[in-house]
Amino acid sequence: MLIIGSHVSFNKEKQLMGSLDEALSYGSNTFMFYTGAPQNTKRYEINDNLTNHALEKMKNNNIDINNIIVHAPYIINLANDKENDKYDFSINFLKQEIERCEELKISYLVLHPGSHVGLGIEKGINNIIYALNEVLKDDKNVTILLETMAGKGTEVGSNFQELKAIIDGIDKKELIGVCMDTCHLNDSGYDITDFDSILDEFDRIVGLSYLKCIHINDSKNIKGAKKDRHENIGYGTIGFDTLIKIIYNPKLDNIPKILETPYINDKPPYKEEITMIREKKFNDNLKNLFEK
Ligand code: FE
Ligand code: FE
Ligand code: ZN
């Protein structure tokens, strides 16, 4: 089954209920959200009433809570331990984020592995391993999905070998997985037009069973640019046909696919993009639909 959705908002008043309603308005059967602003760590208390209402409404709409994804804030950096207090803060905040996921009955938390900021890739990987093992010590049912990164700056995790090295160091391997991002794979240098080869390579190095989520984004930049700037579906260097082939690849059936494409004139384009995807038909008028 095609499981498709987008990034949605999560606010203090409506919480999971608001995120679900937004996703349903786009015609989605999954969604991803930050439990607060992505760039900061200010978070609200979870309201169990709202969560229970949302879970009930999901059932009525054939949405499986196991397909819903939370994204950890970018400011968590597990790769850099230069400053003890910041490193500890990242570890503790990630622990709290996992607790929030548990309260919300969410199974998957996407995490950017981190940036080593000059410490070197090996030290960066070791820092991530230590931190993740600390975080996963508490027995929770939330799986952390390491996202494939574009390779901007000193990002760790822009190739499968680095992700494999991290996973190898994790004690509780049942609580670790991977989230691929099509824009990031392209920008880090993978030939996205041959996705079967990418999946073969991933299977050989990491193991396909670790793949739990895919971010579907076009890219503003050419393959290997190491930039990480997302573009709307069919409007970037990856293109509509290549993205459709990835989305409908039988090996990726039942894996949640999440759009993180940019807003157009401050408006979410997800309803229209999801329609394009479901109909497998490119809408070359998309960018004109959202007037200021
Ligand atoms: Fe991400
Ligand atoms: Fe992403
Ligand atoms: Zn990105």
Side-chain angles (χ1 to χ4, degrees):
M1 190 172 85
L2 175 63
I3 299 162
I4 186 88
S6 70
H7 162 255
V8 296
S9 57
F10 180 92
N11 62 47
K12 189 181 175 186
E13 290 71 34
K14 294 186 177 163
Q15 303 197 354
L16 195 58
M17 203 53 192
S19 307
L20 171 64
D21 283 338
E22 185 181 342
L24 288 171
S25 79
Y26 303 147
S28 304
N29 56 1
T30 182
F31 55 92
M32 179 179 81
F33 62 95
Y34 293 86
T35 62
Q39 67 278 15
N40 70 42
T41 52
K42 196 175 168 298
R43 291 297 181 266
Y44 319 113
E45 197 146 330
I46 303 298
N47 177 327
D48 289 339
N49 248 334
L50 289 167
T51 304
N52 289 331
H53 272 134
L55 291 171
E56 209 179 294
K57 193 165 183 179
M58 277 185 216
K59 263 190 197 151
N60 296 333
N61 284 279
N62 286 318
I63 293 181
D64 185 349
I65 183 72
N66 290 312
N67 290 328
I68 312 302
I69 315 282
V70 166
H71 198 307
Y74 331 129
I75 44 160
I76 292 181
N77 184 3
L78 304 182
N80 177 15
D81 69 343
K82 269 188 204 166
E83 287 163 83
N84 267 322
D85 49 336
K86 279 191 190 166
Y87 185 58
D88 288 346
F89 175 84
S90 283
I91 292 173
N92 286 322
F93 190 79
L94 190 55
K95 280 187 185 178
Q96 290 169 37
E97 197 70 354
I98 283 178
E99 270 165 42
R100 268 187 291 275
C101 285
E102 251 207 355
E103 285 179 60
L104 290 163
K105 316 292 179 209
I106 301 280
S107 309
Y108 294 115
L109 176 63
V110 168
L111 174 75
H112 294 180
S115 295
H116 65 70
V117 283
L119 294 175
I121 193 74
E122 213 167 303
K123 179 81 170 103
I125 287 172
N126 285 334
N127 286 341
I128 294 166
I129 291 170
Y130 174 84
L132 286 176
N133 280 331
E134 269 310 294
V135 167
L136 295 173
K137 252 184 198 164
D138 313 338
D139 275 308
K140 302 286 178 202
N141 290 309
V142 179
T143 297
I144 292 178
L145 304 182
L146 303 169
E147 184 165 351
T148 60
M149 301 310 292
K152 203 173 52 180
T154 62
E155 274 173 356
V156 180
S158 64
N159 60 59
F160 301 153
Q161 286 80 0
E162 289 173 15
L163 295 176
K164 165 71 173 166
I166 297 168
I167 292 170
D168 274 346
I170 303 299
D171 300 328
K172 294 183 181 168
K173 293 201 174 36
E174 68 279 11
L175 292 181
I176 198 89
V178 172
C179 170
M180 284 187 182
D181 183 309
T182 55
C183 168
H184 299 175
L185 286 172
N186 173 77
D187 287 19
S188 74
Y190 284 94
D191 178 8
I192 201 97
T193 60
D194 188 2
F195 211 73
D196 276 312
S197 293
I198 291 182
L199 289 177
D200 284 347
E201 186 181 336
F202 183 81
D203 195 30
R204 217 168 41 240
I205 296 170
V206 181
L208 207 51
S209 62
Y210 281 98
L211 182 61
K212 304 292 187 193
C213 178
I214 304 184
H215 289 165
I216 302 289
N217 302 302
D218 215 324
S219 175
K220 286 191 196 293
N221 292 286
I222 55 161
K223 176 171 91 99
K226 307 212 180 302
K227 281 288 201 326
D228 190 3
R229 291 189 63 214
H230 303 183
E231 180 54 282
N232 294 101
I233 301 304
Y235 285 84
T237 59
I238 298 175
F240 189 71
D241 295 343
T242 298
L243 288 169
I244 287 291
K245 264 196 252 161
I246 296 168
I247 292 165
Y248 288 97
N249 188 312
K251 283 182 195 151
L252 305 176
D253 202 28
N254 292 317
I255 293 181
K257 301 179 179 79
I258 307 284
L259 299 167
E260 299 175 299
T261 50
Y263 274 33
I264 302 170
N265 285 328
D266 300 323
K267 292 179 192 83
Y270 304 126
K271 183 171 191 275
E272 287 73 14
E273 285 184 311
I274 287 168
T275 300
M276 281 202 275
I277 288 167
R278 288 195 190 281
E279 294 178 352
K280 301 184 190 174
K281 195 167 169 282
F282 180 56
N283 178 355
D284 62 4
N285 197 38
L286 179 74
K287 293 223 170 173
N288 304 319
L289 291 174
F290 301 93
E291 297 298 331
K292 278 227 181 208

